[in-house]
C-alpha cells in the first residue's frame, strides 16, 4: 500500500512537501507518480520518480515548481511544490506504476489535501 | 501532448441498463489506455488496462474495447454500487493524460 502524509494548509508563495510511504512490495522495483485533483475537477498528472535511482520526469506545466526526493531507508518519496497559488488547492495522490515511460497505476495513496490560503 | 476526450460528461441510467462511455485520443495511442473508477469521496481505482484487460477483482460486468484513437468502457448491467466518475487515462511516451471524466448516476 501507499500511505501519504496528512492535510496541509499553506500560504500563497510558500512551499509544501507531501510524503508517500510504500509498504508490502519491493519499493525499489516500481515507480511513483504524483497526480492531483482540484475540488470538483478531474485528474492531472504531475510527475514520476524512480525511487531506486532518484530520476524524475515532470509534466511540462510543473517543471521548475516541483521537486522530488526520496528516502530509501524508509521506502518514502517526497513531492515538494513551490510558489503555491490558490489554484494549487487540491487533493494530491501518489500512485504506483510499473514502467518508466508507460503503464497504468494499480495502487494509489489515500490522498493529501493541500489548501492554499492566506 | 495528446489530449483525451470523454463522452458523455455525465449520464443517468436505470439499474440493469447497459452503459457505454467513450474516450477519444487526438492521435493514435495503440492500446495504451486504462480506465479508473472514482466513487464519491474515494480514491480512484484501476478497472481496465491495455484497453481491454480487466484488473484482478473487478466485476465482469465491466469491459473495455478499442485501439488507436477510440475506446469504450461498457458496464453490461448497471448496479447501484457503480455510481462513480470514470476516467480514461492514456499512458505512452512518458506522458500520462486523463480524460475529463464521466459521471454515472442511477435514474
Amino acid at each position: 500500500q501507499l500511505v501519504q502524509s496528512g492535510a496541509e494548509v499553506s500560504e500563497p508563495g510558500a512551499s509544501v512537501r507531501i510524503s508517500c510511504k510504500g509498504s508490502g512490495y519491493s519499493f525499489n522495483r516500481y515507480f511513483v507518480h504524483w497526480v492531483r485533483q482540484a475540488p470538483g475537477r478531474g485528474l492531472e498528472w504531475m510527475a514520476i520518480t524512480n525511487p531506486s535511482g532518484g530520476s524524475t520526469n515532470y509534466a511540462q506545466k510543473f517543471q521548475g515548481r516541483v521537486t522530488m526526493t526520496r528516502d530509501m531507508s524508509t521506502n518514502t518519496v517526497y513531492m515538494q511544490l513551490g510558489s503555491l497559488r490558490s489554484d494549487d488547492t487540491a487533493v494530491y495522490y501518489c500512485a504506483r506504476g510499473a514502467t518508466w515511460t508507460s503503464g497504468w497505476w494499480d495502487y494509489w495513496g489515500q490522498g493529501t489535501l493541500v489548501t492554499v490560503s492566506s | 501532448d495528446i489530449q483525451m476526450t470523454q463522452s458523455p460528461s455525465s449520464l443517468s441510467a436505470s439499474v440493469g441498463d447497459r452503459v457505454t462511455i467513450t474516450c477519444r485520443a487526438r492521435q493514435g495511442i495503440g492500446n495504451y489506455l486504462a480506465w479508473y473508477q472514482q466513487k464519491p469521496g474515494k480514491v480512484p481505482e484501476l478497472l481496465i488496462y491495455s484497453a481491454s484487460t480487466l484488473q484482478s477483482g473487478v466485476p465482469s460486468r465491466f469491459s473495455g474495447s478499442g485501439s488507436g484513437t477510440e475506446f469504450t468502457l461498457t458496464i453490461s448491467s448497471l448496479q447501484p454500487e457503480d455510481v462513480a466518475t470514470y476516467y480514461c487515462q492514456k499512458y505512452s511516451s512518458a506522458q500520462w493524460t486523463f480524460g475529463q471524466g464521466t459521471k454515472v448516476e442511477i435514474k
Side-chain angles (χ1 to χ4, degrees), chain A:
Chain A
Q1 59 176 347
L2 296 171
V3 178
Q4 298 180 224
S5 50
E8 301 269 2
V9 178
S10 297
E11 293 188 345
S15 297
V16 67
R17 190 177 80 154
I18 304 167
S19 67
C20 174
K21 179 179 174 63
S23 64
Y25 70 97
S26 296
F27 190 66
N28 61 354
R29 294 183 64 182
Y30 291 85
F31 304 94
V32 176
H33 293 264
W34 290 91
V35 58
R36 74 178 186 181
Q37 186 171 38
R41 305 294 296 273
L43 299 163
E44 181 177 33
W45 176 72
M46 300 176 66
I48 180 175
T49 187
N50 178 358
S52 178
S55 52
T56 57
N57 181 30
Y58 304 106
Q60 187 171 10
K61 175 178 179 177
F62 297 101
Q63 285 183 0
R65 278 214 300 151
V66 173
T67 304
M68 313 276 273
T69 56
R70 89 276 195 211
D71 181 350
M72 295 305 291
S73 69
T74 60
N75 286 354
T76 303
V77 297
Y78 299 89
M79 190 278 293
Q80 180 168 309
L81 180 63
S83 303
L84 289 170
R85 307 184 290 258
S86 59
D87 62 359
D88 290 319
T89 294
V91 176
Y92 290 76
Y93 295 100
C94 60
R96 189 181 84 163
T99 65
W100 180 243
T101 59
S102 180
W104 54 92
W105 307 344
D106 56 356
Y107 288 97
W108 295 56
Q110 82 277 19
T112 298
L113 175 62
V114 173
T115 303
V116 182
S117 174
S118 54

Side-chain angles (χ1 to χ4, degrees), chain B residues 71-91:
Chain B
F71 302 86
T72 298
L73 172 69
T74 299
I75 308 173
S76 61
S77 176
L78 187 68
Q79 300 302 305
E81 60 267 31
D82 300 335
V83 168
T85 300
Y86 294 83
Y87 294 93
C88 63
Q89 178 202 42
K90 156 264 182 189
Y91 51 86

Side-chain angles (χ1 to χ4, degrees), chain B residues 4-8 11 18-25 29-31 33-36 47-54 61-76 86-89 102:
Chain B
M4 307 300 292
T5 304
Q6 284 183 236
S7 61
L11 66 89
R18 184 181 184 88
V19 168
T20 299
I21 299 168
T22 298
C23 178
R24 290 184 174 88
I29 59 170
N31 69 339
L33 188 101
W35 290 96
Y36 297 86
L47 291 177
I48 287 168
Y49 59 91
S50 298
S52 60
T53 303
L54 204 63
R61 63 180 179 274
F62 292 93
S63 64
S65 64
S67 67
T69 61
E70 187 158 331
F71 302 86
T72 298
L73 172 69
T74 299
I75 308 173
S76 61
Y86 294 83
Y87 294 93
C88 63
Q89 178 202 42
T102 296

